[in-house]
Amino acid sequence: MSVGIGEISLYVLIGLASGIISGMGIGGGSILIPALCVFFSMDQHLAQNINLLYFLPTAAIALITHAKQGNIEKKPLMPIILFGFLGAVAGSIVAVKMDSSLLRRCFGFFLLAMGIYELFRKPIERGKVHDAVR
Amino acid sequence: MSNGLFTKAAIGVTVGSLNGLFGAGGGTVLVPALEKLVHMEVHKAHATAIAVILPLSLISVFIYANADTPWSTIFWVSSGGVLGGVIGARALNKIKTRMLYKIFGLCMIVAAIRMILG
């Protein structure tokens, strides 16, 4: 697959937009995966695989910034991550075995539900003033 | 405390499964869960969510791995991503999240409809 400068620019741009959203911790994948599918008519498994790999360096960099700002709470991390591993293994195995177009539909419904939730959620104001002052 | 552990275990399994199944979206569920169930502050919930999703995504990468991983595409997307990641992380403490949720929610709904209709 030969890649032109136009394609490269679009990849970088999509990555940048998703990175900003990922860096804020609100799910850049929900931008990156649909963008890859729509602009590059990519297969669902491939788009998901790219999102996972893109997320590793993007999140690592964002994490350093957040750690410096003292925004990471370490106490609840261990149990959530340990039990998260169990879910991650199960979820990934199901995904790999699932039909690509079915997986895309499921992803679409998940995205729809989360979009409606984001649209109507009320941010918790407590702690915000304190954070804004810094 | 055992009650708290159960909550965290349930959050972990749910978020891990979704993130594994869709290769994304764990953070979208984890942030409100940390705010409402673990009673974390908004900005801390966002930052802490990344610390959880990073290792979970790493596990999924190994299970998703196959021979035709397009490394050049990943390189270009990630180089934009890394730059955006820093911008996003720095901006988080300075912006009002309410407006962000609305814009982001709308984008997600539009994208979702496109994905469902295929």
Side-chain angles (χ1 to χ4, degrees), chain A residues 24 48 51 61 92 119 131, chain B residues 23 43 46 60 64 86 102:
Chain A
M24 290 180 181
Q48 292 190 186
N51 184 63
I61 292 286
S92 306
L119 198 60
D131 276 335
Chain B
H43 291 124
H46 284 249
S60 294
Y64 272 71
V86 177
K102 302 260 181 252

Side-chain angles (χ1 to χ4, degrees), chain A residues 45-109:
Chain A
H45 284 104
L46 184 58
Q48 292 190 186
N49 193 9
I50 289 177
N51 184 63
L52 285 169
L53 284 160
Y54 132 95
F55 187 70
L56 301 180
T58 304
I61 292 286
L63 214 49
I64 293 169
T65 309
H66 286 306
K68 276 188 199 153
Q69 290 174 334
N71 274 343
I72 294 164
E73 270 195 41
K74 294 190 188 72
K75 235 174 126 192
L77 281 182
M78 247 335 140
I80 297 179
I81 291 175
L82 284 180
F83 282 94
F85 279 152
L86 297 178
V89 170
S92 306
I93 291 173
V94 172
V96 170
K97 291 192 189 303
M98 202 187 271
D99 171 68
S100 200
S101 63
L102 177 63
L103 185 59
R104 171 166 305 189
R105 281 234 162 103
C106 293
F107 178 86
F109 281 112

Side-chain angles (χ1 to χ4, degrees), chain B residues 30-113:
Chain B
L30 183 54
V31 169
L34 289 177
E35 286 175 11
K36 302 216 162 77
L37 304 175
V38 189
H39 309 293
M40 215 176 263
E41 281 174 17
V42 180
H43 291 124
K44 290 195 172 161
H46 284 249
T48 307
I50 301 174
V52 173
I53 303 300
L54 182 58
L56 299 190
S57 293
L58 188 61
I59 292 288
S60 294
V61 158
F62 287 108
I63 299 172
Y64 272 71
N66 60 48
D68 14 274
T69 303
W71 291 108
S72 78
T73 303
I74 289 156
F75 172 80
W76 293 117
V77 173
S78 302
S79 55
V82 166
L83 182 62
V86 177
I87 297 171
R90 292 220 173 131
L92 181 63
N93 274 0
K94 298 183 181 80
I95 54 159
K96 285 218 189 323
T97 44
R98 177 188 287 273
M99 200 60 211
L100 198 69
Y101 292 149
K102 302 260 181 252
I103 298 167
F104 189 57
L106 275 178
C107 292
M108 282 168 85
I109 291 168
V110 172
I113 291 167

